[in-house]
Amino acid sequence: MLDEAVDGVFTRADGTYVDGTFGRGGHSRALLARLGPQGRLIAFDKDPQAIAAGQALAAQDARFSIVHDGFATLAPSLAARGVTAIDGLLLDLGVSSPQIDQPERGFSFRHDAPLDMRMDTTRGETAADFLARADERQIAEVIRDYGEERFAVQIAKAIVAGRLAGQPIERTSQLARLVAGTVRTREPGQDPATRTFQALRIHVNAELEELEQALSAGLDLLAHGGRLSVISFHSLEDRIVKQFIAAHSREVVDRRMPSHLLPPAQLKLRALGRQKPSAAEVSANPRSRSAMLRVAERTEASA
C-alpha cells in the first residue's frame, strides 16, 4: 500500500516528514517525488543495509537524511537536528521483505541459518542468546504474549529441556523442528513455527514498546493538520495503533462531574480511516494480505 500510505501522510509540498521505517526506500522515494525544494524528509532505520541505501539517497538529494536508530528515538533524534514539529509521520511496521529473504538474518523458518533476528545486527541480543539465558517462564511469556501461541508453555519446556541436554537452540532449522514436534495442531496453511518466530522477533527488537514510544512522540511532534499514517501486519501492533488513535480522537468524560462543570475536551487526533490492500496488490504481493493502513490527523479542535 505504498501509494495509499503516502497519500495518507502527505499534506504540503514544503513540509517536514518522517519515514520511521526506511527499509529500502520505497516510501521515502515516493514522498521525495512529491516534496518541493523546501520540503524535508528524515528517515529512521536500524538495519545497517538500509542505512547504506539511505546514505546513498542522501548523497543524491539534500532534502533527505537518515538516522541509524529505531523510531523510538524520534523526539531526541529530531531535536538534535533542530526539528521541533513535523507535518507527517509514516510507519511501515514489522520485518521487511529484504530481511526475510536473506537467510543469514535468521528471520525465516524456511531457511537454515543462525537464529539472529536482530534488525540492527551491530548491537543487542540475538534470539539464540535469549533462548540460551531465559528461564522457562520468560520464554513461555514471550511466545504467548507476542505470538499468541496457545502451546507456548509446551514449546518453552522443550527449549529448556534441549538446552539442559546440551542441545541449545542456535539455528532456525532447530527451532522450526522443535516447534513442529511440539505443536500438534495448527490453522490450515500455516507453518507450526510461524507464531513462535514472530514472538521472538518482536521480543528481540522490542517492537511493540518502540511502537508505543513512537506514537506518543509523534503525537507531540505533529503540527496542526499533520498526519499519522501507519501500516501494520499483525493484530498486536494494529491493536496498539487502533487504540492509540481512538484514545486521542474520542471525548473522554468523567461521569462523576456535573455536566455544566465539564471543560470542553481537546481532541488531539481525528481518525481519517483504515484500509486493507486491494485484491490486485495481494495477488502481486501475497505478503501484503494481512496489512492494515490507519491514518489520523493532528487537531486541537474543541469537541
Side-chain angles (χ1 to χ4, degrees), residues 23-291:
R24 293 302 179 266
H27 290 113
S28 285
R29 289 184 175 87
L31 274 167
L32 288 168
R34 300 191 186 195
L35 286 180
Q38 303 305 312
R40 185 176 182 184
L41 174 60
I42 303 159
F44 287 72
D45 211 292
K46 295 180 179 181
D47 191 321
Q49 295 180 12
I51 294 302
Q55 289 171 340
L57 179 59
Q60 301 168 2
D61 195 325
R63 301 171 301 168
F64 176 79
S65 60
I66 189 163
V67 179
H68 184 186
D69 216 332
F71 47 61
T73 69
L74 195 65
S77 294
L78 293 182
R81 289 159 177 78
V83 177
T84 58
I86 59 176
D87 296 287
L89 170 61
L90 192 156
L91 301 175
D92 185 3
L93 304 175
V95 65
S96 69
S97 290
Q99 289 169 329
I100 294 174
D101 294 336
Q102 293 176 335
E104 66 273 15
R105 301 300 298 273
F107 287 108
S108 176
F109 47 76
R110 302 187 188 282
H111 308 282
D112 179 46
L115 190 64
D116 192 317
M117 293 195 180
R118 293 173 298 167
M119 292 181 181
D120 186 347
T121 55
T122 68
R123 51 193 162 185
E125 182 179 57
T126 68
D129 292 337
F130 169 69
L131 294 181
R133 69 155 179 85
D135 61 30
E136 183 182 305
R137 178 188 57 80
Q138 291 172 310
I139 295 171
E141 285 179 353
V142 165
I143 296 173
R144 181 196 65 215
D145 295 347
Y146 295 153
E148 299 179 298
E149 172 59 75
R150 63 183 182 275
F151 297 103
V153 172
Q154 293 92 323
I155 294 169
K157 285 181 179 295
I159 289 171
V160 172
R163 190 174 73 196
L164 293 175
Q167 297 178 327
I169 301 295
E170 297 176 340
R171 302 189 68 83
T172 56
S173 58
Q174 285 179 278
L175 181 59
R177 285 196 302 269
L178 180 146
V179 175
T182 306
V183 176
R184 300 302 183 184
T185 61
R186 178 55 67 223
E187 295 87 344
Q190 185 180 86
D191 190 284
T194 299
R195 293 177 182 273
T196 298
F197 270 68
Q198 171 187 294
L200 289 173
R201 190 203 80 221
I202 290 172
H203 171 73
V204 165
N205 296 289
E207 293 178 35
L208 301 187
E209 296 88 346
E210 292 203 353
L211 174 58
E212 292 173 346
Q213 293 168 26
L215 291 172
S216 179
L219 182 64
D220 291 337
L221 284 161
L222 282 172
H224 181 76
R227 298 277 186 86
L228 173 67
S229 182
V230 186
I231 302 173
S232 58
F233 286 87
H234 60 74
S235 60
L236 294 176
E237 57 192 17
D238 182 56
R239 189 179 305 137
I240 290 172
V241 177
K242 176 183 177 180
Q243 292 177 348
F244 180 85
I245 292 174
H248 294 285
S249 61
R250 297 176 183 168
E251 183 178 1
V252 178
V253 177
D254 185 346
R255 299 185 183 278
R256 296 168 298 179
M257 184 178 292
S259 59
H260 67 281
L261 295 179
L262 287 172
Q266 295 295 315
L267 303 182
K268 295 182 178 181
L269 288 175
R270 179 167 65 97
L272 298 182
R274 60 179 185 140
Q275 187 172 351
K276 294 187 71 66
S278 66
E281 180 167 0
V282 172
S283 177
N285 177 21
R287 287 176 180 167
S288 71
R289 64 185 178 277
S290 61

